[in-house]
Amino acid sequence: MRISVRPQFYSFLLLPFLSFAAVSALGQDATTTPPPANGVAKGPVVVEHPDPLKTRISDKKRFEQQKSLKAELKGGYKKWVDEDVRWIISDEELAAFKQLSNDEERDQFIEQFWLRRNPNPDSPENEYREQHYQRIAYADEHFAAGKPGWRTDRGHIYIAYGKPDNIDSHPSGGQYERPMDEGGGSTSTFPFEIWHYRYIEGIGDNIDIEFVDSCMCGDYHATIDRSEKDALKNVPGAGATMSEQMGQSTKADRFSSGGLEQLGKGPGTEGNQSKQFDRLDRYAKLMAPPPIKFKDLEAFMATGKILTGPPFLFDVRTDYVRVTNETVLVPLTLQIRNKDITFSNKDGVAMGTVNILGRVSNLNHKVVQTFEESVGVQVPSELLARKQNDMSVYWKALPLRPGLYKIDIVIKDVNNPDHIGTWRRSVNVPKYDDDHLAASSLILADQMERVPSRDIGAGNFVIGDTKIRPRVPNAIAAPVTFHRGQSLNFWMQVYNLGIDEKSKQNGATVNYEITDMATNKAIVVSQELTNKLSPNADQLTIEKSMPLASLQPGKYQVSIKVNDGVSKQQIAESAPFIVD
């Protein structure tokens, strides 16, 4: 049996998060009324004032608070919003960021912003972020035109979607033979470029984006009107289309059609009018921030769309770990049975993929955090039947402020698109006050190990410098199951231990018990004194590991009781488990 108790370092848990600002007002002291006119005093009359925390603030006050919050957005944070992520941040994220009340929350938001886009969450290096800043540097170097390159339209597209697959460049303009769908005929053009992308996720295949330097100053702007590059468009009798050359139309017809483009008529222009909406829709998508990965799953979350296929069942466990007084880490652990995943076989490997979309919203139905991930499961094809009863788990740590939230999760079996699962629960994130002895969740885990220093506070199942993979029950408050060949690992933090003023040490006793629920007898009893392990700490991390081979199959319960001799407070946490 291994027992370790150690201080917890806050900095390892400062993960990014979205939150909302708590607003409070100062109350007034109770007052007394003056004595009555007849001079007979009847004692003080206490005037009760309403709780200011429950008082609805006025619209004027709310406006002033929002204005003051926006005024705080300056320096590096303003640059981050206005420049660094201007082309990739969503409207919801921007609104949430502007509502944050202090720099700590902003720093955590920024970290979460990049983590959400990281293609490999387990990697300490965020490839997306590195690539994004490389694109900004490239745009500034190659697209500047009286303003930084990132502010130009070419810079915008390059930063959002990367290098195009092909560029048709006409840096000097000049003679141009129009294609038939632009009316045919010859004209002279301003400098222009056409960027071609074979595929852009969320937009489509074979995307052409046209940029025109109509000012001849190097500032190419994106356009959906292909006639903008025509330098002779407004010159009478010059640069006629084929239809205009044959007298079947006039140049004036270009400006009277009322469409998005002023191309003029020609043999291949008949379908242009019907395609204008598609061009406008594509342009709007290009200029918007890149969409979330799993837009199809969002419909099940936002509208409560009815499932058309068999439900995709999964279990979720929530835990709570204090970071600061105003920040609580809420790890979510999703558990999916391999037999519920559709596998495809290729080259002797069975592969299954599950898309996960999650959303956290507050009592005002405002989304405060979103997460999305694809989880892959691979096993050798010959072992697939043997692995059907195994579980696959996914872990997401959500830093939230204390309060009540709703969490929605939707998952999809990629190899069986109609196989959708949903989960919706309210969670009450606890507030850890400084003057109350308190504890985190008691986590029972099948894995618990130290991580390398480079992985501290990052990666799946990592809290601080320990990797903890929780066991997930198949129902709320149901016991989790361990095999006799496994070890029982449990982890818990204790907060706000009293410190003696004279000795400057804590003085708590930690009692551990494992009880056989069939006989209600304690089969393992252990005790530790905190002042022998980490005497000056007001916060402790408890880790314990015990082989289960000596236990008979059955139901058990692990209990931890903390008796603080300094503050004279007690807490107790327990969790049931089954050994099979």
Side-chain angles (χ1 to χ4, degrees):
M1 183 179 298
R2 174 176 66 85
I3 302 174
S4 65
V5 183
R6 55 196 170 81
Q8 177 65 28
F9 297 96
Y10 293 132
S11 59
F12 295 154
L13 289 179
L14 286 180
L15 298 178
F17 71 113
L18 298 174
S19 68
F20 56 91
V23 179
S24 63
L26 295 176
Q28 299 177 357
D29 296 333
T31 60
T32 58
T33 59
N38 60 14
V40 180
K42 297 183 179 179
V45 178
V46 178
V47 180
E48 294 185 357
H49 293 273
D51 184 349
L53 295 177
K54 299 180 181 179
T55 303
R56 181 183 178 90
I57 63 174
S58 66
D59 291 341
K60 180 179 180 181
K61 183 68 174 178
R62 184 180 294 108
F63 175 78
E64 291 175 352
Q65 291 169 345
Q66 292 175 348
K67 186 176 180 181
S68 65
L69 288 176
K70 292 179 181 179
E72 292 179 12
L73 197 59
K74 56 187 176 182
Y77 301 109
K78 182 174 177 59
K79 178 181 180 298
W80 186 79
V81 167
D82 293 345
E83 300 181 20
D84 293 10
V85 298
R86 180 169 182 170
W87 306 128
I88 62 172
I89 191 170
S90 69
D91 293 340
E92 294 81 3
E93 289 173 321
L94 180 60
F97 185 75
K98 289 183 176 180
Q99 292 301 316
L100 301 181
S101 59
N102 56 62
D103 290 349
E104 178 188 10
E105 293 180 357
R106 295 184 185 105
D107 289 338
Q108 293 168 346
F109 178 100
I110 291 171
E111 193 65 24
Q112 175 67 22
F113 177 91
W114 294 120
L115 283 174
R116 181 185 178 191
R117 290 157 172 82
N118 188 1
N120 184 8
D122 291 330
S123 172
E125 301 297 330
N126 191 319
E127 297 177 12
Y128 182 93
R129 180 175 56 196
E130 296 300 322
Q131 182 185 65
H132 177 76
Y133 281 104
Q134 289 173 4
R135 290 178 179 179
I136 291 177
Y138 183 93
D140 285 342
E141 181 179 353
H142 293 84
F143 306 136
K147 56 186 175 183
W150 67 265
R151 292 189 60 189
T152 66
D153 284 357
R154 287 189 299 175
H156 176 177
I157 297 299
Y158 187 90
I159 291 168
Y161 304 108
K163 183 180 179 180
D165 297 298
N166 181 59
I167 297 178
D168 180 15
S169 180
H170 301 263
S172 301
Q175 192 69 20
Y176 176 67
E177 295 293 331
R178 294 191 192 91
M180 286 301 175
D181 62 344
E182 293 183 18
S186 298
T187 189
S188 183
T189 68
F190 297 114
F192 73 97
E193 292 182 352
I194 299 175
W195 289 15
H196 177 76
Y197 291 87
R198 285 193 291 268
Y199 174 74
I200 297 179
E201 185 175 359
I203 298 178
D205 300 314
N206 297 317
I207 308 297
D208 288 329
I209 308 169
E210 191 163 301
F211 302 91
V212 179
D213 178 17
S214 56
C215 65
M216 305 288 286
C217 61
D219 185 9
Y220 289 74
H221 65 272
T223 179
I224 55 177
D225 181 2
R226 289 168 290 175
S227 74
E228 278 202 55
K229 61 180 175 290
D230 189 348
L232 302 178
K233 182 172 66 173
N234 296 304
V235 179
T241 66
M242 291 185 64
S243 177
E244 292 165 356
Q245 291 174 18
M246 294 185 290
Q248 296 175 350
S249 65
T250 66
K251 208 167 192 180
D253 294 335
R254 302 191 196 183
F255 309 100
S256 60
S257 62
L260 294 174
E261 298 184 290
Q262 299 174 340
L263 290 172
K265 295 181 180 180
T269 63
E270 291 82 1
N272 284 348
Q273 190 75 18
S274 62
K275 296 177 181 178
Q276 289 188 11
F277 179 80
D278 293 337
R279 293 177 63 82
L280 187 62
D281 179 64
R282 178 172 292 182
Y283 183 83
K285 290 179 179 178
L286 284 168
M287 293 301 164
I292 63 173
K293 294 179 183 177
F294 309 134
K295 199 70 176 179
D296 57 333
L297 298 187
E298 192 177 42
F300 291 92
M301 184 178 296
T303 64
K305 185 177 177 181
I306 298 175
L307 303 180
T308 57
F312 192 176
L313 302 178
F314 64 105
D315 302 309
V316 181
R317 172 189 174 94
T318 58
D319 293 297
Y320 306 100
V321 180
R322 189 183 79 166
V323 180
T324 68
N325 286 353
E326 294 300 325
T327 306
V328 177
L329 193 69
V330 183
L332 297 177
T333 308
L334 279 68
Q335 178 175 272
I336 304 170
R337 298 164 186 81
N338 284 352
K339 64 181 180 182
D340 292 330
I341 302 174
T342 304
F343 287 85
S344 62
N345 290 283
K346 183 178 181 182
D347 299 328
V349 178
M351 296 179 291
T353 304
V354 178
N355 287 346
I356 301 171
L357 176 63
R359 175 180 292 170
V360 183
S361 52
N362 61 20
L363 288 176
N364 296 322
H365 307 290
K366 181 178 180 180
V367 176
V368 297
Q369 190 154 174
T370 301
F371 57 93
E372 50 197 333
E373 193 63 60
S374 288
V375 178
V377 182
Q378 296 186 9
V379 296
S381 297
E382 64 271 15
L383 298 180
L384 181 58
R386 195 182 309 171
K387 297 289 186 179
Q388 287 293 296
N389 291 326
D390 289 355
M391 303 288 186
S392 297
V393 291
Y394 166 77
W395 193 81
K396 183 66 178 179
L398 304 173
L400 298 169
R401 300 186 71 163
L404 190 63
Y405 298 88
K406 183 183 73 171
I407 299 180
D408 294 275
I409 300 175
V410 183
I411 67 173
K412 181 176 79 170
D413 189 354
V414 173
N415 292 325
N416 183 6
D418 290 332
H419 200 195
I420 304 290
T422 61
W423 183 90
R424 177 177 296 170
R425 294 288 188 280
S426 61
V427 296
N428 192 4
V429 179
K431 182 174 178 58
Y432 294 101
D433 294 320
D434 284 336
D435 55 349
H436 289 94
L437 185 67
S440 69
S441 299
L442 173 56
I443 300 177
L444 304 188
D446 57 12
Q447 288 186 12
M448 186 170 66
E449 58 190 34
R450 293 285 189 271
V451 297
S453 58
R454 67 178 182 275
D455 295 332
I456 290 176
N460 281 337
F461 309 108
V462 176
I463 302 177
D465 60 355
T466 304
K467 180 177 180 179
I468 309 154
R469 192 173 76 175
R471 299 292 281 182
V472 182
N474 54 19
I476 297 176
V480 296
T481 300
F482 290 85
H483 305 306
R484 292 185 69 190
Q486 294 179 308
S487 290
L488 170 67
N489 305 291
F490 58 84
W491 181 99
M492 190 179 84
Q493 288 183 341
V494 181
Y495 311 118
N496 306 322
L497 290 170
I499 302 297
D500 184 77
E501 293 183 0
K502 293 182 179 179
S503 66
K504 305 302 180 184
Q505 294 185 352
N506 56 43
T509 302
V510 183
N511 296 282
Y512 309 93
E513 284 188 5
I514 294 180
T515 305
D516 185 340
M517 300 302 288
T519 62
N520 203 30
K521 291 183 179 180
I523 59 175
V524 176
V525 178
S526 179
Q527 185 181 88
E528 291 183 317
L529 300 177
T530 59
N531 59 9
K532 301 296 184 182
L533 297 164
S534 186
N536 306 117
D538 65 351
Q539 175 173 320
L540 299 173
T541 297
I542 299 171
E543 295 177 346
K544 190 172 183 179
S545 180
M546 186 186 82
L548 295 173
S550 61
L551 298 186
Q552 296 299 315
K555 184 177 180 180
Y556 299 86
Q557 179 172 281
V558 57
S559 301
I560 301 179
K561 298 178 182 179
V562 181
N563 188 343
D564 191 341
V566 177
S567 67
K568 308 302 180 184
Q569 299 180 65
Q570 295 180 343
I571 57 168
E573 296 288 339
S574 62
F577 66 96
I578 292 174
V579 177
D580 63 8

